[in-house]
């Protein structure tokens, strides 16, 4: 499929719906993290914005789409504001927050690995690079959120369920779909749902990735 | 006001004076933080450079002004070096450092929210986006400094006086001034001084932003 | 030497060999850090990729070479994958890891301060700015690695041997070589080896940089 055609499909069908949905759910996850860490209302808004827009801004800087969509389209910027407002007034009991963060975060992961990969293709990157950029888009905002909130990024921890693998699967699925000419709004949505379901299942079943081969785990190095 | 005219005013009157002043005061704040954290002379220089130039580099990457001013204009790069040298030899007693960091940081905040917003306008961003980028410019360098020095960024903490709100007010003031055709070197300086005074007052009076509505604050989540 | 000529030498002789070697050794350092911190296999791959490619991506964004080489050339992306695989199966006893990380990291430091400075020259930056960008390229990936792994970046700590100074010396040497027309594949390699040897010697001899003049070191501020 020629880049122009991809860009057309991407712009009209996929981007507007999937991207804003991803921004909304990531913003909810970021705002909930801010509530859990006891940040104030400004911190809630900032963490919502950074979580929701961080991955996409990195993606746009890398492919050279400047200023990034987040600084052009008013909807990109105001959606996290709205999500932060919702969380500020309606957040559930603090005890249940961690689980809720995980679900919203999984939805953002599924959506952004698809839109990130598709946009990278539209800007002329090869399939492997587009997949890598899709993963970057999906995990970037959450990584910035974790760094600012002084958490060890979930994507690095062995004691957490697999996080990057669902994004990798979703991004690779988009790469295959584009290369075989099967990429459209329906298959894109299916790929996003598949990556989301994969992540939720991993959380539910406790799927983990192995640590280094025969590592002597007696020694220091766990989360301090 | 057409973008070209803004750029002209910005380039000749505002940028050279306000930007370099902002870089100097942010560099002092960064260098003092490095002294408080007991970093060596290289760490003092690096933290001064990152605090002073970080926000502007992010701004320039986002609006597409590459290489960023910090990597073109020798003054941008050498000002933090000079500030770091001053702090290295003349820093006050360590006990009084925290208060001094806050004052210099407030001055940088006031100056950068103005120059960041103005430059974003000059590159064609809309008023809301330019305001958002002005805030990013103002808080970006300090956030990178705090992350590198392993502090929770002051802009997220509820137990600290409001930090982002003065930057928001200064940036929004610039947006209103530009939109109404009143933006010039005098009103720009006034907006910077207002944002600075707002931040210093907030520090002095202990103004804080509210945390999430009815959050059960018994539960864990404070700074650990 | 005109920029075009530099670019030619850089592209054909220096970039392919030095850059990929630097990526490989930095990736090994990142993967070993992930093993020491007890991250899982995904964390090992991600930390290898970020350490190896982070500095170069920042450099390419700043000089405006987008998409960055890391997202164009498949070799850039797959080299850290290969290094992570090696470390996963063959990493030495955990007790000896810290020393090994340091040696590989020193090699990456030496190579990247040279390639970063050379590429900055090729894109038209002045000698001081090119030197600054060379240092940024050399220390950027490791700084991102340390932030993600929640270590205080080694380049800021007074209780560690000097880290940035060897990169500064290597980058400045390249700047002098380019300005005097002596820059070629041999002198570039010599500069990289010199910076590497300088860092290893500093580690071996325990060379440290001074802290702030007459700082009252009784007071708090050490690594907590």
């Amino acid at each position: 499929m020629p880049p122009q055609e991809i860009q057309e499909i991407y712009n009209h069908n996929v981007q507007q719906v999937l991207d804003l949905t991803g921004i909304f759910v990531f913003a909810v996850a970021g705002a909930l993290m801010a509530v859990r860490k006891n940040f104030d209302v400004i911190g809630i808004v900032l963490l919502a914005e950074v979580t929701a827009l961080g991955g996409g801004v990195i993606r746009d800087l890398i492919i050279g789409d400047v200023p990034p969509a987040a600084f052009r389209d008013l909807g990109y910027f105001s959606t996290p504001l709205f999500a932060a407002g919702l969380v500020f007034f309606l957040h559930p009991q603090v005890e249940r927050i961690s689980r809720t963060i995980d679900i919203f975060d999984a939805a953002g992961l599924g959506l952004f690995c698809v839109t990130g990969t598709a946009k990278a293709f539209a800007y002329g990157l090869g399939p492997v690079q587009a997949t890598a950029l899709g993963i970057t888009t999906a995990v970037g905002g959450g990584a910035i959120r974790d760094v600012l909130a002084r958490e060890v990024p979930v994507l690095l921890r062995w004691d957490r369920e697999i996080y990057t693998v669902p994004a990798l699967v979703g991004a690779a699925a988009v790469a295959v779909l584009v290369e075989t000419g099967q990429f459209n709004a329906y298959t894109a949505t299916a790929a996003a749902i598949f990556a989301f379901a994969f992540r939720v299942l991993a959380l539910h079943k406790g799927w983990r990735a192995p640590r280094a081969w025969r590592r002597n785990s007696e020694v220091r190095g766990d989360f301090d």
Side-chain angles (χ1 to χ4, degrees), chain A residues 141-161:
Chain A
I144 299 175
R145 175 197 65 198
D146 290 345
V147 164
L148 287 178
R150 294 226 311 194
E151 302 266 310
V152 175
V154 66
L155 51 101
L156 294 176
R157 301 184 66 156
W158 70 269
D159 63 337
R160 294 293 169 80
E161 292 73 20

Side-chain angles (χ1 to χ4, degrees), chain A residues 22 63 83 85 101 112 135 140 201 220:
Chain A
I63 58 177
I101 294 177
F112 273 23
I135 298 169
L201 256 173
R220 75 166 284 268

Side-chain angles (χ1 to χ4, degrees), chain A residues 70-85:
Chain A
F71 284 91
R72 280 196 321 255
D73 187 327
L74 214 53
Y76 279 65
F77 177 77
S78 46
T79 300
L81 214 61
F82 175 68

Side-chain angles (χ1 to χ4, degrees), chain A residues 9-20 59 65 69 72 76 115 119:
Chain A
I9 293 168
Y10 180 71
N11 277 335
H12 298 296
N13 300 323
V14 186
Q15 188 182 27
Q16 291 300 326
V17 180
L18 296 193
D19 233 18
L20 285 177
R59 176 200 60 201
D65 179 28
R72 280 196 321 255
Y76 279 65
T115 59
K119 189 161 182 179

Side-chain angles (χ1 to χ4, degrees), chain A residues 2-80:
Chain A
Q4 241 168 326
E5 222 176 298
I6 299 166
Q7 183 142 28
E8 213 171 290
I9 293 168
Y10 180 71
N11 277 335
H12 298 296
N13 300 323
V14 186
Q15 188 182 27
Q16 291 300 326
V17 180
L18 296 193
D19 233 18
L20 285 177
T21 312
I23 285 169
F24 179 78
V25 292
F26 259 152
V28 169
L32 285 170
M33 167 80 82
V35 170
R36 187 163 74 77
K37 299 288 280 191
N38 214 354
F39 294 158
D40 65 21
V41 58
I42 307 293
I44 295 171
V45 169
L46 288 175
L47 221 54
E49 294 277 357
V50 161
T51 310
L53 305 179
V57 167
I58 294 173
R59 176 200 60 201
D60 290 352
L61 290 179
I62 284 173
I63 58 177
D65 179 28
V66 288
F71 284 91
R72 280 196 321 255
D73 187 327
L74 214 53
Y76 279 65
F77 177 77
S78 46
T79 300

Side-chain angles (χ1 to χ4, degrees), chain A residues 18 20-33 51-52 82-84 86-87 90-92 96-112 138 142 145 163 192 195-197 199-200 203:
Chain A
L18 296 193
L20 285 177
T21 312
I23 285 169
F24 179 78
V25 292
F26 259 152
V28 169
L32 285 170
M33 167 80 82
T51 310
F82 175 68
L86 277 184
V87 168
L90 304 175
H91 74 87
R96 281 186 290 142
I97 275 187
S98 291
R99 174 66 55 190
T100 317
I101 294 177
D102 284 340
I103 299 295
F104 277 91
D105 194 70
L109 191 75
L111 288 156
F112 273 23
R145 175 197 65 198
Y163 185 84
F196 166 70
R199 167 68 180 152
V200 171
L203 278 167

